[in-house]
Amino acid sequence: MDCTNIWKIDEKKIEKRENELHESIFTIGNGFLGIRGNFIEGYSEDFPHKRGTFINGFYEVFGIKYGEWAYGYPEEKEIMINNVDSNNIELTVDDEKIKVGKTKILEHKRTLNMREGYLERETTYETSKGKRFRLRVLKIVSFIKKNLCIYKISIKMLHGSAEINLKTGLQLKNNDFEKTNDPRVENGNSAEILLLEKQKVADKSLTQLYKTKNSDLSIVVKEKVECSGLEFENGNHVATFFLNEGQEKSVEKKTGYYFFPLEEKTDLVKYSEESFEKTAELNFEEIKKMQRNYLKNFWENSSIKIEGDPETSQGLNFNLFNLLQYVGKNGKTNISAKGLSGEGYSGHYFWDTEIYMFPFFLYTNPKIARELLKFRYNILPQARKRARELAFTKGALFPWRTISGRESSAYYPAGTAQFHINADICHALKKYVESTEDYDFLREYGAEMLFEAARIWEEMSSKDPLRNDKYCINCVTGPDEYTALINNNYYTNLMAKEHLKYAAYTSRWLENNYKDDYIKIIKKIKLSKTEVDEWQKISENIYLPEVGENGITPQDDSFLHKEKWDLENTPKDKFPLLLHYHPLVIYRYQVCKQADVVLAQFLHGDKFSLKQKKRDFHYYNSITTHDSSLSKSIFSIVGNEVGEKKLSYEYFFENVRTDLDDKHSNSKWGIHTASMGGSWLCVVFGFAGMRTYEDELSFNPDIPDRWKSFSFMINYKNNILNIIINKETTTYELIKGDKIKFKHVNKKVMLDKEKRSLILKNE
C-alpha cells in the first residue's frame, strides 16, 4: 500500500494474489451495513474473490453437530449472513461482457478516502476489438442515513464508439467464501438462507422483503436507479445506450437495507417505504457532503497526529476509521471480531469489544461507548438463561461468542470456560462511569448488569483449606487460549476480585445516593444485603497465585510446572499452533497464544511493582507465539512501561499495520477490529503512558525515537483535553470543559477556566 497520503489507501494495480485481501481493506460501512470492496462489474470464474454484504446483527441459526454431546453444550449457533448483494452490474460493450480477470486493463486506481468516507475507483478497459473506455465508480455507505448505500457509476468512451448495455439489481447467489478447516472462519450462504417473501416494482424502484429460514428475521432491501432510458426486466434495472468517442454516461444507484435487531416490533415494510422515499430524494453530492461533515467531527475528536512516521499515521487512520465503520451505535448491536468486512468468526461479538475497542470510544466518543454497554444490558435475559444452563442458581453469564445474546461457542475449553468475560464487561462499565459520571446509566442499566454478573463469581469461588481458606476459582480458561481448564488463572481471579469489589461498592453507593432506584433494582433481581457482604468478603480474600522462587507471577496453579514449548526450533510453517497441533498437545506445555498475566498487569498495573512487571514481561514474552492479533498491542504497552522501547515499538508497528500488511496472512476473511483498537491503546496508554487507576487520570509520556511529536485528544469527565508530546516536553490544553485534574509523571496538575494550558518536561 502506498503510504504517501496518510488519509487515503491507494491501489494502483489489480493483482490476482492480493484481490481478496484488498476486498477486505476496501470495505466500506457505517456500523449497520458493510459492503466488501468487490469490483462492481464482477470477475472471471478463475479470479479469486469473496463477495460480501453484511448487516450488523442479522444472522441465521444453524444446528451444531457434535461427535459426542454433553449437557449444556449450545445446540444452535448464530452466523452472520452474507446478505443481498447490491454491489453489482453486468456491463456489456458491443456484446462483450466486461469482467475483472478477463477484460484487458490498461490503467487502474482505487482510493479509500478516510477523511471524507467514500470509495472511488477508475479503471480503463480495452475490449478484444480495441475499444477503450473508462469505468468510474464512487460508493458511499452513509453514516447519517444508516440504511443507505449509494453508487455513482460513469462510463466514458476513450477510443472508438460502442453500444453499452448495463444491468443491475439485487442478487442472491451461492457464497464465494470457500470452505476451510480454519476454526476462525465460518460462513452462511445467503442463497440457501434468505427466502423472498414479497417483491414490488414501481417507478424505477424495486422492493424486496426477505425472511430467514430459522432465525425468523426479516429484511427489506430497496433499490432505485436513475439513468435515462432505463427499463425493468426480470428483476433487474437495464439501460442500453450508444456512446461515441469522448461521450460519457452516468448512473446513480441507491440501495436501502432495513432491519430491526433484537426483535423490535415495528412494521418493517411501512418503515422502509417512508424512510427510503425521503432518502432517495438526496443525490450523491448531498450524501457526500453529509458524510464529509460527519467525519470532520469524528476526526477532530479521534485522530492521532504523528510527525515523522507516515506509515504509522496511515495505519492508525485506517484502524480508527474502520472501528467507526463497524461499531454498532444503537444499543442493540456490538462490534464483531471482523467488523462487517468478512465472515471470519461468523460475525460474533467477543470480549474483544470491552478490553480492546471500548477504550477508544470511551475516551473519544463516549456516546458510542454507552451504546456498547447498553447492548450487554439488552442481552441480560439470555445471559441469565445461560447461567441456569450451567447450573448457576442465580446471576447472569454473558456468552463468549454471540450475535443476539445466545451462546454460539461450540468449543467450550476455549469458549464458555472463559468466564472472565463477565468481569471484562463490568471492568468497562466501571471505567465508563468513572470517566463520564453518567450515573443515570448506572442506575437504569449498569447496576443490574453489574450485580447479576457478580453473582457468578459468588457461586464459582470456593474456600480452599490448603490455601488458608482463600477463595479459589477452578476449571476456567484465561485469555491465553493455549492453556485451558485450569485452576486459579491469575487474570481471571484478579478481574473477579475487582469486579466483586466494585459491585459491593456500587451497591452501597446507590443505597446512600439513589435509595429509590436501589430498592427497585434489588426487588427486581431479589438481591440481599447478605449477598453484597459476601461479595466484599470474597473480593478481600480471593486467591491470587503467588510469585515463587523464580520471581515470576504464575499464570495459573500449574502453568510454571509444565515443560516449555521449544518455540525457537518450531518450524515457521507450524504457526499458528492451533492449526497444526491437537489442543491436548498444546495444553501440556508452557506456551501462550497471547497476553494473559501481562494483560492483567496492564489493566491493573497499580497492583504490581515495576520490577515484577519487568520480570514477567521478559518471561512471558519468551514463551508467547502472538498467534492472536490481540497480543502484541498489550506486550507493546507493558514493554514500553518496563523500558523495552525498541521491542515495544516493533510490536506496535506490526500491530498498527496488521491488516494493511496482512501480518497474520488471513485478512482476506476480514479485518481485525481488536487489533485496530489495540493500536490506539498502544499510542495513548503505551507511548503517552495514560492510566486511570482508582478514578485518577495520569500520563507518563515516552515518545518513540523515530517520532518528532504526536498528539491526540481525550474526553474525560466532560472535559476535552488535547495532549501534544515531543522529545522534551508535553503540552496539555483544555479544549472544552471547566476543570480537569490529572498527574504528569507523578506530579499533580490542574487546568481550568483561568489556566487552560501548560507545558511540562518529560522526566
Side-chain angles (χ1 to χ4, degrees):
M1 293 292 174
D2 186 352
C3 301
T4 54
N5 191 326
I6 66 171
W7 291 104
K8 293 181 178 180
I9 307 296
D10 289 323
E11 173 192 73
K12 296 182 179 179
K13 187 178 181 181
I14 301 175
E15 295 194 30
K16 198 171 186 178
R17 62 185 175 82
E18 291 189 335
N19 186 59
E20 294 169 312
L21 166 64
H22 287 196
E23 287 176 328
S24 293
I25 289 171
F26 287 99
T27 299
I28 56 172
N30 60 9
F32 172 78
L33 168 67
I35 299 178
R36 277 175 67 85
N38 313 120
F39 291 111
I40 197 168
E41 63 272 36
Y43 307 87
S44 62
E45 291 184 3
D46 65 339
F47 203 90
H49 61 281
K50 301 184 189 303
R51 302 192 73 86
T53 298
F54 305 104
I55 306 291
N56 199 352
F58 195 82
Y59 63 92
E60 179 57 305
V61 174
F62 296 86
I64 302 176
K65 295 180 180 179
Y66 296 98
E68 293 184 27
W69 180 87
Y71 180 82
Y73 282 14
E75 296 184 1
E76 295 178 323
K77 60 186 174 184
E78 301 168 344
I79 297 180
M80 181 174 67
I81 295 174
N82 196 338
N83 224 295
V84 181
D85 176 28
S86 65
N87 186 40
N88 66 82
I89 60 171
E90 186 177 295
L91 185 62
T92 304
V93 178
D94 284 344
D95 297 323
E96 181 178 332
K97 286 188 177 180
I98 306 303
K99 299 288 182 185
V100 172
K102 177 185 176 184
T103 312
K104 185 177 181 180
I105 294 175
L106 301 178
E107 292 182 31
H108 170 78
K109 185 178 180 182
R110 176 163 55 166
T111 300
L112 176 64
N113 188 319
M114 299 178 288
R115 189 188 284 276
E116 299 189 23
Y118 66 90
L119 187 64
E120 178 179 16
R121 58 157 301 208
E122 289 188 357
T123 306
T124 301
Y125 281 108
E126 184 177 76
T127 70
S128 59
K129 296 178 182 178
K131 308 282 181 76
R132 294 197 298 271
F133 68 94
R134 183 193 68 201
L135 175 65
R136 186 169 185 245
V137 182
L138 291 95
K139 181 165 57 175
I140 293 174
V141 174
S142 174
F143 283 110
I144 301 293
K145 305 292 183 180
K146 72 168 189 176
N147 306 96
L148 176 71
C149 178
I150 184 168
Y151 307 81
K152 188 173 184 180
I153 305 162
S154 63
I155 302 163
K156 182 175 183 178
M157 290 303 302
L158 302 178
H159 178 70
S161 303
E163 183 180 76
I164 312 292
N165 181 271
L166 186 149
K167 181 165 67 173
T168 187
L170 302 173
Q171 294 184 355
L172 278 181
K173 54 192 294 185
N174 289 331
N175 207 335
D176 295 322
F177 284 68
E178 76 265 21
K179 300 297 180 182
T180 172
N181 289 325
D182 190 331
R184 298 167 295 182
V185 179
E186 193 166 21
N187 52 67
N189 190 338
S190 58
E192 299 170 355
I193 294 167
L194 289 173
L195 305 176
L196 181 61
E197 299 270 302
K198 293 180 183 178
Q199 179 166 295
K200 178 182 176 183
V201 181
D203 189 29
K204 298 181 182 180
S205 67
L206 170 66
T207 301
Q208 293 180 339
L209 169 65
Y210 290 92
K211 202 164 191 176
T212 57
K213 282 185 178 181
N214 302 317
S215 60
D216 198 32
L217 297 178
S218 298
I219 185 168
V220 171
V221 188
K222 302 179 72 67
E223 177 183 74
K224 185 172 185 179
V225 182
E226 296 175 357
C227 176
S228 58
L230 193 71
E231 304 274 339
F232 192 83
E233 300 176 2
N234 300 319
N236 292 294
H237 290 94
V238 180
T240 301
F241 44 89
F242 192 87
L243 292 180
N244 290 314
E245 187 171 311
Q247 287 186 318
E248 185 172 10
K249 184 82 168 181
S250 293
V251 178
E252 196 163 282
K253 175 176 178 174
K254 298 162 189 170
T255 309
Y257 290 84
Y258 297 88
F259 155 67
F260 294 125
L262 296 188
E263 301 179 353
E264 184 174 330
K265 301 300 181 184
T266 305
D267 187 330
L268 187 61
V269 175
K270 182 180 179 182
Y271 174 81
S272 67
E273 292 284 353
E274 295 172 353
S275 175
F276 191 71
E277 184 178 348
K278 295 176 183 177
T279 301
E281 294 174 356
L282 301 168
N283 62 35
F284 187 89
E285 292 304 318
E286 289 171 320
I287 294 294
K288 186 178 176 183
K289 182 179 179 181
M290 293 166 68
Q291 192 85 336
R292 183 190 307 121
N293 291 338
Y294 180 92
L295 283 166
K296 183 175 182 290
N297 181 64
F298 170 74
W299 288 119
E300 282 177 355
N301 294 319
S302 306
S303 69
I304 295 175
K305 301 177 178 68
I306 299 171
E307 187 181 2
D309 195 346
E311 275 189 286
T312 294
S313 294
Q314 185 191 55
L316 279 167
N317 289 340
F318 177 75
N319 293 348
L320 304 187
F321 177 66
N322 274 278
L323 287 174
L324 181 69
Q325 285 201 121
Y326 303 133
V327 65
K329 306 174 181 71
N330 55 8
K332 296 180 179 179
T333 53
N334 203 279
I335 179 168
S336 74
K338 295 289 187 181
L340 299 169
S341 68
E343 295 178 306
Y345 290 111
S346 306
H348 290 159
Y349 315 134
F350 292 78
W351 72 304
D352 306 19
T353 298
E354 283 75 20
I355 298 302
Y356 290 86
M357 297 177 269
F358 182 85
F360 164 66
F361 294 109
L362 172 59
Y363 297 116
T364 62
N365 197 325
K367 288 182 179 179
I368 293 178
R370 189 183 205 268
E371 297 306 309
L372 289 172
L373 288 172
K374 195 172 179 183
F375 165 80
R376 295 296 188 181
Y377 176 82
N378 282 328
I379 64 170
L380 259 180
Q382 296 95 316
R384 290 187 179 104
K385 182 180 178 182
R386 183 59 175 159
R388 304 302 168 271
E389 290 173 351
L390 268 69
F392 293 100
T393 60
K394 54 192 174 184
L397 178 61
F398 284 102
W400 183 246
R401 299 177 64 148
T402 194
I403 296 177
S404 76
R406 80 176 80 192
E407 180 62 80
S408 287
S409 175
Y411 186 65
Y412 73 86
T416 303
Q418 296 200 49
F419 290 91
H420 64 81
I421 189 169
N422 266 29
D424 300 329
I425 291 167
C426 293
H427 175 82
L429 171 65
K430 180 176 186 287
K431 293 298 182 183
Y432 174 78
V433 174
E434 289 175 352
S435 176
T436 64
E437 298 180 331
D438 184 357
Y439 302 121
D440 288 342
F441 183 87
L442 184 64
R443 292 185 296 110
E444 295 171 21
Y445 309 106
E448 182 182 346
M449 182 166 68
L450 175 67
F451 299 156
E452 287 285 70
R455 283 172 151 171
I456 298 300
W457 301 121
E458 182 184 350
E459 289 198 45
M460 279 197 72
S461 60
S462 59
K463 287 183 180 181
D464 185 347
L466 299 179
R467 291 193 170 94
N468 298 317
D469 281 341
K470 291 286 187 180
Y471 287 86
C472 295
I473 301 176
N474 296 322
C475 203
V476 300
T477 299
D480 169 32
E481 294 179 356
Y482 284 171
T483 309
L485 302 179
I486 39 77
N487 297 337
N488 295 311
N489 169 251
Y490 197 101
Y491 175 90
T492 301
N493 286 22
L494 180 58
M495 293 293 284
K497 175 184 177 70
E498 295 304 312
H499 180 179
L500 289 165
K501 179 182 176 182
Y502 182 56
Y505 165 81
T506 301
S507 174
R508 295 190 294 269
W509 184 86
L510 282 173
E511 186 176 17
N512 292 331
N513 293 277
Y514 296 96
K515 187 147 190 162
D516 291 344
D517 293 297
Y518 181 66
I519 292 172
K520 183 179 177 182
I521 293 168
I522 63 174
K523 281 184 176 180
K524 179 179 180 181
I525 65 174
K526 298 180 173 59
L527 178 67
S528 68
K529 185 178 186 301
T530 303
E531 268 190 273
V532 176
D533 291 341
E534 185 69 11
W535 295 345
Q536 186 69 42
K537 180 181 176 182
I538 297 170
S539 174
E540 292 172 356
N541 293 280
I542 205 163
Y543 174 74
L544 296 173
E546 297 174 358
V547 174
E549 292 181 4
N550 65 353
I552 303 303
T553 303
Q555 186 168 299
D556 56 69
D557 281 355
S558 61
F559 188 81
L560 297 181
H561 297 280
K562 299 176 182 178
E563 180 184 350
K564 289 185 181 180
W565 188 291
D566 187 359
L567 291 177
E568 188 176 337
N569 292 309
T570 301
K572 289 184 179 180
D573 62 0
K574 294 297 184 182
F575 293 92
L577 299 184
L578 73 137
L579 297 184
H580 300 95
Y581 299 92
H582 192 283
L584 289 177
V585 176
I586 299 172
Y587 296 165
R588 287 199 299 266
Y589 288 88
Q590 277 191 60
V591 62
C592 298
K593 183 183 180 186
Q594 62 208 85
D596 195 303
V597 167
V598 175
L599 177 59
Q601 293 176 336
F602 163 51
L603 297 178
H604 294 289
D606 54 335
K607 309 294 191 298
F608 303 85
S609 70
L610 187 61
K611 286 183 179 180
Q612 188 63 50
K613 291 180 193 176
K614 191 167 187 175
R615 284 195 299 267
D616 291 338
F617 174 85
H618 287 292
Y619 187 86
Y620 284 103
N621 186 54
S622 71
I623 58 172
T624 300
T625 64
H626 304 292
D627 284 345
S628 168
S629 64
L630 279 61
S631 189
K632 286 193 173 178
S633 60
I634 304 304
F635 273 87
S636 172
I637 294 166
V638 178
N640 193 75
E641 185 179 3
V642 301
E644 292 294 334
K645 291 186 64 174
K646 184 175 183 295
L647 183 60
S648 170
Y649 192 84
E650 288 175 4
Y651 281 166
F652 162 68
F653 186 75
E654 184 164 339
N655 171 265
V656 79
R657 295 191 63 87
T658 293
D659 293 302
L660 288 179
D661 296 340
D662 198 17
K663 295 293 187 180
H664 287 260
S665 302
N666 64 358
S667 292
K668 67 180 182 179
W669 300 110
I671 51 77
H672 298 74
T673 53
S675 179
M676 292 173 164
S679 65
W680 185 88
L681 294 176
C682 284
V683 176
V684 175
F685 286 85
F687 305 131
M690 179 174 135
R691 297 291 187 273
T692 54
Y693 298 140
E694 299 303 327
D695 198 18
E696 182 178 65
L697 178 65
S698 65
F699 297 91
N700 192 6
D702 191 359
I703 187 169
D705 291 338
R706 65 190 291 183
W707 296 2
K708 295 179 181 177
S709 68
F710 70 103
S711 64
F712 59 93
M713 288 199 288
I714 65 159
N715 190 319
Y716 191 75
K717 295 189 183 298
N718 301 309
N719 299 285
I720 295 180
L721 187 65
N722 187 38
I723 300 102
I724 306 165
I725 301 168
N726 58 37
K727 297 293 185 184
E728 306 296 332
T729 63
T730 297
T731 301
Y732 298 96
E733 299 175 338
L734 183 58
I735 304 299
K736 181 181 177 182
D738 296 329
K739 181 167 65 174
I740 185 168
K741 296 178 181 179
F742 57 94
K743 281 184 178 180
H744 171 84
V745 197
N746 295 320
K747 177 183 178 181
K748 290 185 178 182
V749 294
M750 184 179 75
L751 294 175
D752 54 25
K753 290 181 179 180
E754 282 70 42
K755 187 177 184 180
R756 301 196 72 86
S757 68
L758 55 84
I759 301 174
L760 298 171
K761 288 185 178 181
N762 300 334
E763 298 175 5

